[in-house]
Amino acid sequence: MCKQMMQVRLDLLPERVTDIFFVLAATNSRELGRFTQLGFRVVDSDIGATLAVQEEHRSQLTFEAVVIMCAIYKLGDGYWRIGSMNVTCSGSPRDLKAALSKLEQLGFPRKHETSSQEHLVVESVRRYLELSRSAVKVANVDIDGSNTMAIQYAIEVLAKDDADAHPKGEELQQKLSDGLQDAILEEIFKFTNEKVKPDRLRVLPPISKSLNHLFVEVRWEFGEVKRTDNKDHSYLDAALITFAKQSLQEIVDYRGPHGVRIVHNGVVDYNGMWIGPVGTSDAADGAIKYGGLLLDELPRSGKCSFEVHLDRLPPATTDIYVIISSPSGRELSKYSNIVVALVDAWKSHKVSTCLLKSKPASQGVIFCRLSRTNHGWKMGAFRTPTSGGSHNFYPVIESLRKIQSESYPDKFEISLGGHSTRSERRLLPLQQLRAKGEKLQRQLSTGSMSSLITWSPARNPNSRRFGAADTD
């Protein structure tokens, strides 16, 4: 009797791995019919408990040389399951192409098998509502423990404001609730020539909501990491920089919010001063959070993400820039397929993507921008090379200030008096500035206060920033 053992660490497998197949092949014989008592046993290595066992396969083995014994697979709920297959095919330990072809005939990998079902559902919804091809997007596909496939899709409704979007969403909800099931069954029969019973297809009620919670995902591919490399060239640094017209508002990267100041060492600058990652305040009101970094060495790809709540941003926020840089000093031309994607955090469907088509020879790039408009937010691509990045944001900030000055020629400033004295007061020490503000307040206490913003603690418009800046 012979036995072979193999240890599998399911907790260390990449997230994308969903199926593991155990294949037995004859080495010194062209067929497995000469062997007896072929079987497998799956044992928990921690406690020694037998999870699954199959001892005899001889009755199903003829003159084939390869047998697919069993499969360990993971469904949408995240739990692993074990299933016996007992499928034979030709081949050898050095040539398993026949085994791979057999698995494709059986519907593996599951992702390829479910992609056709996704297309049928999305196409039937699009035809039923008479929408364009890009209007209906697949959000998520799951297979539960009862082998029931759930396909979630999203329909993007563009409108001037929420008051115009909600009626359109309610109209789509009513249409989807009426005859969508019959449309999907007709589409399946049209493409597969198979009739599916209505009780086997369940259409859940649609839900409409505003798009305010997003994930900004940055994806890239890197080359082979050699042992002789002194630096790690596998990952990239990403950052989100927010502006309030021409004023720098906040910088968020893997270190969190940096705490951009308008007061530092007794000097006031309403354009915003970046002095490094202080981390004692957040001018974005916690609306932007760094999600983390994920590297996969097998396909040599990486991903980092930011969580953005558009409805929680300060009302003065006008733009959000996505900055990508190489922390090791390597040029971005050494990386490939750099993509920034906006993903709906609710149903995980891609709202928009931006691809870096060229390969700049710089260490960083101003990738794209989210801009606030009268009707919501819009995404625009820049792909502008820059010498700055997470190691030094000064060159990036300088370039962004030029862009903002062109986009917003009317500069926004908090004024304590007329336009003639504005340049004199811009960099006054804090104590002197407060004294002058109190003096002006006393002088104009009986007059009009429409053009004056006082610096009293009760009415300080920037108390959120000044609270942390006073300690500098």
Side-chain angles (χ1 to χ4, degrees), residues 16-152:
R16 69 178 185 278
V17 177
T18 57
D19 299 87
I20 304 174
F21 299 96
F22 289 90
V23 180
L24 188 63
T27 304
N28 299 324
S29 177
R30 294 184 178 180
E31 59 186 46
L32 291 172
R34 301 179 181 180
F35 299 90
T36 59
Q37 299 297 324
L38 296 178
F40 68 89
R41 183 185 300 269
V42 181
V43 180
D44 187 347
S45 59
D46 293 332
I47 61 177
T50 300
L51 304 178
V53 60
Q54 184 73 35
E55 296 292 352
E56 181 61 49
H57 289 275
R58 182 177 179 181
S59 59
Q60 299 187 16
L61 297 179
T62 55
F63 298 101
E64 304 288 356
V66 177
V67 56
I68 304 174
M69 305 284 288
C70 65
I72 299 178
Y73 55 95
K74 180 176 62 174
L75 298 181
D77 54 7
Y79 292 100
W80 291 87
R81 294 166 175 82
I82 305 172
S84 178
M85 299 189 65
N86 307 336
V87 178
T88 60
C89 61
S90 60
S92 66
R94 297 183 178 180
D95 185 11
L96 295 176
K97 293 182 180 179
L100 295 176
S101 300
K102 193 69 174 181
L103 290 174
E104 290 182 358
Q105 295 177 8
L106 296 175
F108 297 99
R110 295 175 184 269
K111 182 178 180 181
H112 294 170
E113 182 66 17
T114 57
S115 61
S116 60
Q117 306 295 334
E118 298 174 23
H119 173 74
L120 291 177
V121 172
V122 171
E123 187 67 16
S124 59
V125 173
R126 187 189 68 81
R127 291 176 179 272
Y128 179 70
L129 298 177
E130 298 180 354
L131 300 175
S132 60
R133 292 185 178 274
S134 60
V136 184
K137 300 179 180 180
V138 176
N140 196 10
V141 180
D142 288 330
I143 302 177
D144 58 15
S146 60
N147 288 329
T148 300
M149 184 171 60
I151 300 177
Q152 300 176 350

Side-chain angles (χ1 to χ4, degrees), residues 267-398:
V267 178
V268 178
D269 186 358
Y270 298 115
N271 285 333
M273 294 181 289
W274 177 73
I275 58 176
V278 180
T280 57
S281 63
D282 184 3
D285 290 342
I288 301 177
K289 295 181 180 179
Y290 181 73
L293 174 69
L294 180 63
L295 293 177
D296 198 337
E297 298 291 344
L298 186 59
R300 300 195 185 104
S301 63
K303 182 187 77 170
C304 69
S305 62
F306 294 85
E307 185 179 5
V308 181
H309 292 269
L310 297 177
D311 54 341
R312 298 181 187 177
L313 287 168
T317 304
T318 58
D319 300 272
I320 305 174
Y321 288 90
V322 181
I323 311 299
I324 298 176
S325 59
S326 173
S328 62
R330 193 179 191 183
E331 297 178 356
L332 290 180
S333 59
K334 304 298 182 181
Y335 299 86
S336 59
N337 296 330
I338 304 178
V339 180
V340 173
L342 300 184
V343 182
D344 181 14
W346 185 48
K347 290 298 182 182
S348 301
H349 85 278
K350 289 185 179 180
V351 179
S352 180
T353 57
C354 181
L355 173 65
L356 185 62
K357 300 179 181 179
S358 61
K359 292 187 176 182
S362 60
Q363 298 181 16
V365 63
I366 302 173
F367 211 96
C368 58
R369 174 180 67 175
L370 277 173
S371 300
R372 191 195 295 266
T373 64
N374 296 330
H375 309 312
W377 293 82
K378 69 176 183 179
M379 183 178 182
F382 277 89
R383 309 185 184 97
T384 304
T386 177
S387 59
S390 295
H391 58 286
N392 181 17
F393 280 109
Y394 284 115
V396 180
I397 295 173
E398 183 180 356

